[in-house]
Amino acid sequence: MIDFALQRYALLALASAALFGAATPALKPIAAAMHPMLLAGLLYLGSFLGLVAARSFRRTGEARLQRRDLPMLAGAIVAGGLVAPVLLVWGLSGLAASAASLLLAAEAVLTMLLAAMLFREPVANRIWLAAALMLAAAGLLGWTPGVSIPVSPHALAVLGACLLWGLDNNLTSRISLADPYAIAMWKGLVAGSVNTAVGLALAPGIPGASWLAALAVGALGYGASLVLYVLALRHLGAARTAAHFGTAPFFGALLAIALLGEPLTPVLAAAFALAAAGTWLALTEQHGHEHEHETMEHEHRHVHDEHHQHAHRGDEGAEPHSHPHRHAPVRHRHAHFPDLHHRHRH
């Protein structure tokens, strides 16, 4: 059974995957109209512009990015926003689409490997199995008979892009208590400006309807999706969020069937079955044991639950609110995931 009190934040990761997956069929009519680097830049710029508009209508109550967050933010922007798209675009230029799809499915697994090996995030066996099912499903989805993945610089470039996005996901997880709008806006502004400038240098073009379409898709498929992804990272950790985000290609395939008239084949149905099994494994995970919280001081949006029992000055405002606060040492038992309040040994 799904424990929705525990797994409610997984729905944010799935919503993020749905928006990102929907971007692919939405871009199909305009993808041939502009250089790939220019398209990538416009998507990121659309993300930035959409979030600026959305944030102006929302009282966030979120913690501001702190000076100590800047190295992680800069690393995430450089790895995932600047270098990875360049590697991907160059890698795709020398690969069949089916081979590239198989390679891109590695992002979730690489995110989990980095989370476990580099950042010491605990990953349960069922989450590894869920990721394996997602990888198999994505591979089946992109598989074409007779097509193999060549060992070439282009293939290594695509895998390098996946590895950098995995690093981006883990670095972003470390600052996910800060305002997710601010994190996504900085990524959109920097990556969008740089990639758009490079794209225009490579293939000068005149703004038109396809530019507006790219900006609109970027606002939802990249901007809104990234905000939801950061919120999921905050509560689930990098590995579990990546496992859920692995469903993105299947949301895209569903829309392609519904809106573009693409056929529902037996291979596609089998891929959906594998993806559904992986999602079920991740959603039905139960993780609870006695654990100890050490003294911690930080700032983030919160309510006064069992982890947040602290004094106030009186000017913090209504809950949920954000202000610097201190966690006293406590030892207790409850269901939890490896969020930033639960980085304990197992």
Side-chain angles (χ1 to χ4, degrees):
M1 295 294 292
I2 300 174
D3 182 352
F4 285 103
L6 181 65
Q7 294 283 4
R8 62 189 183 278
Y9 299 108
L11 301 180
L12 298 179
L14 291 171
S16 173
L19 287 172
F20 186 76
T24 300
L27 288 172
K28 192 169 184 178
I30 64 172
M34 64 183 73
H35 191 278
M37 285 299 296
L38 177 59
L39 177 57
L42 290 174
L43 289 171
Y44 278 109
L45 278 183
S47 165
F48 170 73
L49 294 173
L51 291 175
V52 168
R55 198 184 190 201
S56 65
F57 292 101
R58 182 177 183 270
R59 184 184 70 84
T60 65
E62 296 281 358
R64 293 183 179 182
L65 284 163
Q66 303 296 319
R67 185 183 299 273
R68 63 178 178 272
D69 298 329
L70 297 184
M72 295 288 185
L73 178 62
I77 291 173
V78 171
L82 297 178
V83 182
V86 175
L87 289 176
L88 177 65
V89 169
W90 185 80
L92 291 178
S93 68
L95 292 173
S98 54
S101 297
L102 294 176
L103 290 171
L104 285 170
E107 181 189 341
V109 176
L110 289 172
T111 297
M112 294 175 63
L113 285 172
L114 287 173
M117 298 175 63
L118 190 60
F119 295 96
R120 304 302 183 192
E121 182 177 310
V123 183
N125 289 336
R126 67 187 297 117
I127 300 301
W128 287 116
L129 179 56
L133 289 173
M134 291 292 181
L135 184 62
L140 190 59
L141 193 65
W143 176 68
T144 299
V147 173
S148 61
I149 299 174
V151 179
S152 69
H154 292 280
L156 293 176
V158 174
L159 284 177
C162 292
L163 181 64
L164 288 173
W165 276 317
L167 179 61
D168 172 9
N169 295 336
N170 279 279
L171 292 176
T172 303
S173 177
R174 266 53 197 172
I175 59 173
S176 59
L177 291 183
D179 185 354
Y181 280 81
I183 294 171
M185 285 166 61
W186 276 111
K187 284 188 176 182
L189 177 61
V190 176
S193 300
V194 173
N195 288 339
T196 298
V198 172
L200 287 173
L202 294 173
I206 300 174
S210 59
W211 283 44
L212 291 176
L215 291 171
V217 172
L220 292 174
Y222 283 64
S225 174
L226 183 53
V227 168
L228 293 171
Y229 192 89
V230 174
L231 288 171
L233 282 173
R234 177 184 294 181
H235 297 283
L236 302 179
R240 286 159 180 81
T241 304
H244 290 299
F245 195 75
T247 58
F250 308 101
F251 287 112
L254 279 174
L255 282 177
I257 292 170
L259 301 180
L260 301 180
E262 295 190 3
L264 176 60
T265 64
V267 169
L268 190 57
F272 277 125
L274 288 172
T279 301
W280 178 258
L281 280 174
L283 285 175
T284 52
E285 180 191 9
Q286 298 286 337
H287 182 81
H289 59 88
E290 188 175 38
H291 57 277
E292 185 172 355
H293 294 267
E294 298 178 352
T295 301
M296 178 189 302
E297 292 189 27
H298 58 187
E299 179 180 355
H300 64 95
R301 191 170 189 256
H302 63 277
V303 296
H304 293 145
D305 55 18
E306 60 180 320
H307 293 97
H308 296 90
Q309 300 294 325
H310 47 256
H312 289 79
R313 298 186 307 270
D315 59 352
E316 291 81 3
E319 298 179 30
H321 57 207
S322 176
H323 62 87
H325 57 276
R326 180 178 183 272
H327 292 269
V330 63
R331 188 174 187 85
H332 59 183
R333 180 187 181 94
H334 64 91
H336 63 277
F337 288 136
D339 58 25
L340 291 179
H341 289 96
H342 296 91
R343 296 293 185 187
H344 48 258
R345 293 183 179 275
H346 287 76

